[in-house]
Amino acid sequence: MGRLFNQMTRGKKKLFAVSALGMMGGLLLLPVLLSMTAVAGGGGAPAGGPPADVVAAQKAGAEGEEKKVEMGRDVYYKTEGPVIGMPAPITADNETYYPRYNFESRVLLWVANQQHLYYGSFVLAVPIFCMCIEFAGMVSKDKAMAKKYDQLAYDFIKISLTAYSLTAILGGILIFTFLTLYPAFFGYLSGIFRPVMHIYALMFVAESGTLYIYYYGWDKMREGVLKWLHLSMSVVLNVIGTTLMMLANSWIGFMMSPAGVDEQGRFLGNIWHVIHTALWNPLNVHRILGNMAFGGGVVAAYAAYRFLSSKTDEERAHYDWMGYIAMSLGVAFLIPLPFAGYWLMREVYAYRQQMGITLMGGLLAWLFIIQATMIGILFLTTNYYLWQALGRMTGGERFQKYIKYLVFILVVGLLVFITPHTIVMSPAELKAMGGQQHPVLGNYGVMSAKNGGINAIIMTTILSFIWYQRGNRVPTVSWAKFGNIFMGCFFVVAQINNIWLACYGYFIPANVRIGLSVPQVAGTLSCLLLMTPLNLAMLKGARPLGPIQWGKIAPRSQYALIMLATAFTWMMGLMGYIRSSVRLFWHVNEVMRDNSPWAYTHTIGFAANVISFNVLFFWVTIMFVFWLGTLGAKKVPVTAPAGQPIPSPQPATGH
Amino acid sequence: MTWLKLVEGYMPMQMITELAICILAFSIVNYLLKRAGMGLPKFWAGIFVFAFVLWYLKYRIYPPIPFSVRAIYGTVTACGIFMWVSGSQPEWEEFKRPIINVLDAKTGFTKAMRLALLILLPIGLWGFAYNSFLPSFDEPIELRTVHPAPPATTKVHGKTYVLQTASNPYRINPQGKYDQGYTDSHIVDQSMGRLMKNVNSAEDNPWDPNAKGYIKHVREGGEIFFQNCHFCHGDNLNGRGLWAFAFNPIPANFTDAGTIAQLQETFVFWRVAKGGIGLPGEGFPWASVMPPWEQHLTVDEIWKVVMFEYWHTGYYPRTWD
């Protein structure tokens, strides 16, 4: 009887917990739903509407007769709409429009914005990882492994919690910077986006609430239905986070490629047009992937930091594993990132040719060379980490002797990829060269060769990854020999196809050449999407040569992880600067002119210094966050001793 | 090292192939030496490869590669060599051994080496610092924007042209319709050393008495080119005209894949019409002496000469479709 009573009480408790959480979730989402209805109704109050006295005068004048509605033409969609906003302010270089300290306001805003973005990206990416890892733990049949995954997801979210507070603080600093230094511009922008601004703020409330319940409810919601509920909360958390990011993207999309306003910048009543600008979707996709790669890099750096400061083999084993998973997740999103970037640039060219040329052929072209260098560093470092990781497996040395050939392909690919079209040189060098273009290297400076270079690098990275998967195993399937030959031929043919198309691109019209990137990318993606599963199929029931000795990896590999994360951070800072400075002397492209004294493009050296400062500042503060994370650690979250095999299944790679 | 020719049209691949062959040959030789028990230690192998690449870039490739590019290539090569020598733990140990031996200084030779390094390294650094601080009378390094972004529109002889949508009115098929596909198929053949595809055809040979339509306009463009442009841009359009070397930088080489082949036809139209003086702020340091040809040529003449440049070089103007 007592047992039955206990069971009923437990059942009631569970029911109560589920209902309470459901209600809480509903309440958290309620503001969002309410705000959505405002958007559906055309954005609520007219954005940037005329002042109250003007409205009163208009009302008085129009008494008794029907008010005439002025119509305007959308600068992008070319549709007609009622003018219900004020024109974009025509600013002047004075304290009214641009209040200032004795310092360049633009740089202050740049730093505030960049720091907010770094932390924002991090706290948006980490919950996505948590969701994936927690799910992997839940579906894992191996109890020990499930526990490890769960602990890892918890470690991830713990890091992001402190970072979340910092994101909010930095967001506040950013708004104050806008209000105090660029009041006219911020007033105009917030007028246009007024309904969405509220949604943004309310979604932040929803995000915070969900995150706190998700984190603090981890232990309480450990088993059964509650665990699934916990996981579903991470889904809600990520939906809110992604929506937040997309809303923020709509502001920068509007600044680059305005829509929903007329030529004077007057709002035409359709908030969806304002949000859904020409560059919004490419920016969304690019930023999601970028955030994920960045988040993976930062967590990998955290793991590397903990690995290097570990006192015991157990700790080293755990953080080696954590670094590996974070790196794998980051790189998984890094691989499609260049293709998303390609789409974004294509849309930029389609929107405004001048903008595209300024970015890639003109004023900012050298920054793209720096970006190419950073991309190269990311891929080279990834390869290096995988080669080092082979060292912790018995049998990995079989592949290490071929590293030199991969190095050659990677280096040649990178050299081609980073060769500048506009070469920095002294007039004497220019004269000796006989013109601006070098007859040999000039050909590497254009897109056809660069596509070949980057695809060669990505294919080599995929090959390194396949070798890593095979590190300590020998395929025993009956068709192993055939599989190996097929795989080898596939890679060779894909690489030949890539190089051939890169050369062929010089002999055909540019519009056809752009199309060549499709078969090049198809070759690379085929290597990834066909060869990786084929490799896994070959490794089914494979003969193990020895265990993976987690923690027995060279410290160099951990520095590689830190380098990877730093390169991600630097590249994000650089690309953000490029994206923003392509507007040149416009606050809102072709709509609101920047008349501040800082409406010029910085020199490359100055920009690089500010980016480096931002990177340094971020890493100093994130180190503080990491340190805070260690303060709360009570015990080492690992059970497997170093040097011992970790039971399968292994991390998401199937390894 | 100019006795080994760089073959025009194949130079980029030739450079990579030569490097690959040299490194492969080095690997084979080193492998054979290793088998004979005389293999080059990893440390010296790394230094040898690095020195070879630097030598190759400085002395093999001509015209000379500017220092900034050689510095980039050298850095990447050094990173690649580091990745190679530290790819696995045994290799890294082998690479480090001579360095550790010198630092430990357990033999007379290594002791002497360590002492020499202790003296030479600071002297080397001092020399480097001294050189850096020496006043230089060289012209400053320029980061020239070769292809500044064009304006959205340009006004030539009173008419406004939208650069993104305007097209060459003489790029037409026999039916008189704008047809880039047709005109592209009647340019010179790049793979044949820029020769006409069919010299006996009135459709391919601008100087055929029966030439009409597009190809006749190419001839007219050619006449304008040789009356006005070839003095600087050269009779082969390679930027080596009679007066070319009086200018710095020398005029654009249209046969290079990085010039008109990368540009929309309207971009070239705008540059010809406005000249160096019409370059936008982004075109810093405005290093171009080309006159604004709108002051000397009609709009039709500019379109024709642009079309001739594409025809003669065998390139196609860039399009965005």
Side-chain angles (χ1 to χ4, degrees):
Chain A
M1 190 69 188
R3 212 168 137 192
L4 190 68
F5 178 75
N6 278 347
Q7 269 181 353
M8 278 175 68
T9 318
R10 217 176 300 147
K12 270 184 189 169
K13 269 186 184 171
K14 211 178 251 183
L15 192 69
F16 176 73
V18 172
S19 317
L21 278 169
M23 274 171 66
M24 232 178 281
L27 282 171
L28 283 169
L29 289 172
L30 192 63
V32 179
L33 292 172
L34 288 173
S35 309
M36 290 303 277
T37 52
V39 176
D53 54 341
V54 178
V55 174
Q58 277 178 348
K59 267 186 183 170
E63 216 169 71
E65 60 184 75
E66 202 172 313
K67 198 177 123 190
K68 270 194 177 176
V69 179
E70 190 188 349
M71 299 296 280
R73 193 173 158 82
D74 193 316
V75 285
Y76 176 67
Y77 284 103
K78 308 294 177 200
T79 51
E80 297 278 328
V83 175
I84 54 170
M86 292 288 276
I90 298 166
T91 57
D93 178 13
N94 59 38
E95 291 277 342
T96 313
Y97 292 110
Y98 300 104
R100 63 200 75 166
Y101 308 113
N102 286 328
F103 197 78
E104 187 181 330
S105 301
R106 181 173 46 161
V107 172
L108 293 175
L109 190 68
W110 183 355
V111 173
N113 216 335
Q114 189 62 62
Q115 294 305 322
H116 179 58
L117 198 77
Y118 277 145
Y119 277 93
S121 304
F122 181 62
V123 297
L124 287 177
V126 170
I128 300 179
F129 294 156
C130 285
M131 182 178 73
C132 300
I133 297 169
E134 193 183 1
F135 179 71
M138 285 174 71
V139 296
S140 175
K141 285 172 188 158
D142 186 320
K143 289 281 175 202
M145 215 51 212
K147 205 174 170 189
K148 270 177 76 76
Y149 276 127
D150 198 65
Q151 181 64 45
L152 188 66
Y154 183 74
D155 280 354
F156 272 32
I157 205 76
K158 194 168 68 180
I159 305 167
S160 90
L161 207 69
T162 320
Y164 189 78
S165 312
L166 269 172
T167 311
I169 293 166
L170 288 164
I173 292 173
L174 177 62
I175 287 183
F176 286 128
T177 314
F178 262 124
L179 286 171
T180 50
L181 301 178
Y182 287 87
F185 165 66
F186 191 69
Y188 172 66
L189 202 67
S190 54
I192 295 279
F193 281 94
R194 189 182 297 168
V196 190
M197 290 273 182
H198 284 102
I199 293 179
Y200 187 78
L202 291 169
M203 290 197 96
F204 236 106
V205 176
E207 167 101 353
S208 310
T210 319
L211 179 67
Y212 287 127
I213 297 171
Y214 182 64
Y215 175 71
Y216 289 110
W218 203 289
D219 283 335
K220 296 270 176 203
M221 301 164 85
R222 188 168 280 281
E223 301 292 336
V225 178
L226 284 177
K227 188 65 182 163
W228 283 103
L229 187 68
H230 189 253
L231 180 70
S232 58
M233 279 179 65
S234 73
V235 177
V236 175
L237 182 66
N238 287 312
V239 169
I240 298 172
T242 310
T243 314
L244 268 171
M245 185 205 66
M246 287 165 76
L247 284 176
N249 289 349
S250 69
W251 309 334
I252 56 166
F254 178 78
M255 286 166 70
M256 286 178 81
S257 54
V261 292
D262 68 1
E263 279 185 347
Q264 295 175 50
R266 295 180 298 183
F267 179 54
L268 299 178
N270 190 333
I271 191 72
W272 178 242
H273 279 185
V274 174
I275 294 172
H276 187 232
T277 54
L279 302 178
W280 187 52
N281 275 327
L283 277 169
N284 286 335
V285 172
H286 197 53
R287 272 201 161 167
I288 289 174
L289 293 173
N291 289 351
M292 298 291 284
F294 170 73
V298 175
V299 177
Y302 167 76
Y305 160 77
R306 296 298 303 267
F307 177 95
L308 292 170
S309 59
S310 292
K311 300 275 189 296
T312 62
D313 286 350
E314 286 78 10
E315 273 185 312
R316 257 189 290 278
H318 177 70
Y319 290 112
D320 182 12
W321 182 63
M322 184 179 184
Y324 167 71
I325 290 188
M327 193 277 313
S328 304
L329 285 167
V331 171
F333 291 96
L334 170 69
I335 288 175
L337 200 56
F339 308 129
Y342 193 83
W343 180 40
L344 174 61
M345 284 314 302
R346 207 186 151 99
E347 293 303 312
V348 167
Y349 267 98
Y351 173 70
R352 283 289 182 280
Q353 186 192 169
Q354 302 103 297
M355 210 181 242
I357 295 180
T358 302
L359 282 168
M360 302 205 74
L363 191 66
L364 304 171
W366 247 91
L367 297 171
F368 265 86
I369 291 299
I370 302 173
Q371 181 231 11
T373 311
M374 300 310 289
I375 292 174
I377 289 172
L378 290 177
F379 278 107
L380 260 63
T381 313
T382 305
N383 277 279
Y384 187 71
Y385 175 82
L386 290 171
W387 301 338
Q388 295 301 316
L390 281 170
R392 68 182 165 214
M393 292 184 224
T394 314
E397 65 282 352
R398 288 173 299 153
F399 300 101
Q400 284 182 325
K401 60 187 171 198
Y402 300 113
I403 284 173
K404 52 181 171 283
Y405 303 111
L406 298 193
V407 168
F408 182 78
I409 299 172
L410 286 171
V411 167
V412 170
L414 182 60
L415 288 182
V416 172
F417 191 53
I418 65 174
T419 300
H421 183 53
T422 306
I423 298 174
V424 176
M425 54 190 153
S426 68
E429 285 177 320
L430 177 65
K431 199 149 197 170
M433 211 170 81
Q436 187 70 45
Q437 258 64 36
H438 193 283
V440 182
L441 309 182
N443 290 282
Y444 300 149
V446 292
M447 196 45 85
S448 194
K450 292 193 184 303
N451 277 346
I454 190 64
N455 277 293
I457 291 173
I458 299 176
M459 266 187 243
T460 310
T461 310
I462 296 165
L463 186 62
S464 288
F465 188 64
I466 285 176
W467 283 1
Y468 176 79
Q469 286 182 317
R470 287 185 173 207
N472 62 337
R473 287 185 282 179
V474 178
T476 51
V477 286
S478 57
W479 47 277
K481 196 175 174 186
F482 169 78
N484 282 336
I485 294 171
F486 178 76
M487 202 180 271
C489 291
F490 198 94
F491 269 100
V492 170
V493 169
Q495 199 65 276
I496 290 173
N497 170 61
N498 174 42
I499 296 167
W500 157 246
L501 290 176
C503 298
Y504 181 59
Y506 289 98
F507 300 95
I508 51 171
N511 58 335
V512 184
R513 181 167 64 236
I514 289 168
L516 283 188
S517 61
V518 177
Q520 279 179 312
V521 169
T524 307
L525 288 180
S526 303
C527 287
L528 178 69
L529 302 175
L530 299 178
M531 292 303 104
T532 317
L534 178 69
N535 190 46
L536 288 177
M538 285 174 75
L539 288 175
K540 256 192 182 168
R543 178 166 57 87
L545 294 172
I548 303 173
Q549 298 185 315
W550 293 104
K552 301 284 180 197
I553 191 169
R556 292 191 302 282
S557 63
Q558 305 304 305
Y559 292 112
L561 288 183
I562 292 170
M563 171 126 176
L564 197 73
T566 314
F568 270 131
T569 324
W570 213 92
M571 198 163 78
M572 265 181 80
L574 175 77
M575 296 316 290
Y577 167 69
I578 295 176
R579 188 200 48 70
S580 187
S581 57
V582 74
R583 284 179 287 111
L584 301 175
F585 45 82
W586 296 100
H587 284 311
V588 178
N589 194 35
E590 296 167 14
V591 168
M592 183 180 174
R593 202 183 163 101
D594 180 356
N595 287 315
S596 72
W598 308 290
Y600 61 89
T601 306
H602 279 301
T603 59
I604 292 171
F606 183 86
N609 283 339
V610 178
I611 294 164
S612 300
F613 171 79
N614 273 323
V615 170
L616 197 67
F617 189 87
F618 171 74
W619 279 103
V620 168
T621 51
I622 201 86
M623 287 298 278
F624 173 70
V625 172
F626 290 171
W627 176 73
L628 280 180
T630 60
L631 283 185
K634 285 175 188 160
K635 58 183 169 61
V636 177
V638 73
T639 48
Q644 293 300 309
I646 298 286
S648 73
Q650 289 291 315
T653 57
H655 176 72
Chain B
M1 202 170 108
T2 48
W3 55 267
L4 186 59
K5 294 286 172 210
L6 288 163
V7 186
E8 195 173 347
Y10 301 93
M11 290 187 285
M13 283 313 289
Q14 188 181 346
M15 178 181 145
I16 294 173
T17 312
E18 282 181 10
L19 273 173
I21 290 170
C22 290
I23 292 195
L24 193 66
F26 169 74
S27 302
I28 292 168
V29 170
N30 199 29
Y31 172 74
L32 294 174
L33 284 172
K34 240 182 207 168
R35 285 195 66 169
M38 299 183 293
L40 205 57
K42 194 80 62 220
F43 179 79
W44 293 110
I47 287 184
F48 176 80
V49 171
F50 182 62
F52 168 75
V53 173
L54 291 188
W55 173 86
Y56 182 90
L57 294 172
K58 189 162 169 66
Y59 297 106
R60 165 69 183 114
I61 303 297
Y62 58 89
I65 302 175
F67 175 76
S68 67
V69 179
R70 277 189 288 122
I72 295 172
Y73 283 11
T75 310
V76 172
T77 307
C79 292
I81 289 170
F82 171 78
M83 288 169 73
W84 161 45
V85 298
S86 65
S88 67
Q89 197 57 24
E91 282 185 312
W92 179 235
E93 296 294 338
E94 189 192 336
F95 178 80
K96 282 193 306 186
R97 202 171 303 136
I99 304 169
I100 303 285
N101 286 346
V102 169
L103 290 175
D104 285 350
K106 284 181 179 161
T107 64
F109 175 72
T110 50
K111 260 184 195 159
M113 277 291 290
R114 190 171 70 171
L115 189 67
L117 281 173
L118 196 69
I119 296 163
L120 290 175
L121 270 178
I123 292 175
L125 284 171
W126 169 80
F128 179 76
Y130 178 79
N131 266 333
S132 311
F133 281 99
L134 270 184
S136 165
F137 300 102
D138 294 337
E139 292 171 85
I141 281 178
E142 274 177 10
L143 183 53
R144 184 167 171 255
T145 306
V146 185
H147 298 149
T153 59
T154 186
K155 201 170 189 178
V156 182
H157 289 295
K159 194 178 168 194
T160 302
Y161 295 86
V162 179
L163 264 61
Q164 192 140 1
T165 52
S167 56
N168 191 331
Y170 296 102
R171 199 169 275 286
I172 49 171
N173 60 21
Q175 287 76 44
K177 294 262 168 60
Y178 180 85
D179 188 344
Q180 181 149 354
Y182 170 80
T183 57
D184 283 350
S185 63
H186 291 93
I187 56 175
V188 296
D189 194 340
Q190 274 210 64
S191 60
M192 293 172 62
R194 300 199 176 93
L195 294 175
M196 274 179 255
K197 281 174 187 156
N198 186 356
V199 77
N200 296 317
S201 162
E203 280 196 327
D204 287 321
N205 182 356
W207 284 271
D208 189 291
N210 298 321
K212 52 181 187 258
Y214 158 73
I215 207 75
K216 181 169 146 284
H217 298 311
V218 165
R219 182 176 71 209
E220 290 162 3
E223 285 163 3
I224 298 158
F225 182 88
F226 285 104
Q227 282 163 12
N228 299 281
C229 316
H230 96 283
F231 303 105
C232 298
H233 288 286
D235 51 7
N236 202 24
L237 282 71
N238 57 1
R240 306 276 198 279
L242 285 172
W243 299 341
F245 291 95
F247 306 125
N248 192 7
I250 67 164
N253 170 8
F254 299 143
T255 62
D256 189 287
T259 58
I260 59 170
Q262 296 296 318
L263 301 168
Q264 219 181 340
E265 203 168 13
T266 51
F267 185 109
V268 185
F269 172 79
W270 162 69
R271 285 288 283 116
V272 172
K274 300 296 172 189
I277 205 164
L279 278 169
E282 196 188 323
F284 178 84
W286 307 286
S288 166
V289 291
M290 188 165 76
W293 283 102
E294 63 179 343
Q295 293 174 9
H296 307 279
L297 300 175
T298 63
V299 168
D300 290 344
E301 286 171 331
I302 296 174
W303 281 125
K304 283 175 188 171
V305 80
V306 169
M307 204 160 65
F308 169 75
E309 286 164 6
Y310 281 104
W311 176 84
H312 192 285
T313 53
Y315 289 130
Y316 314 89
R318 166 162 273 183
T319 50
W320 303 110
D321 52 356

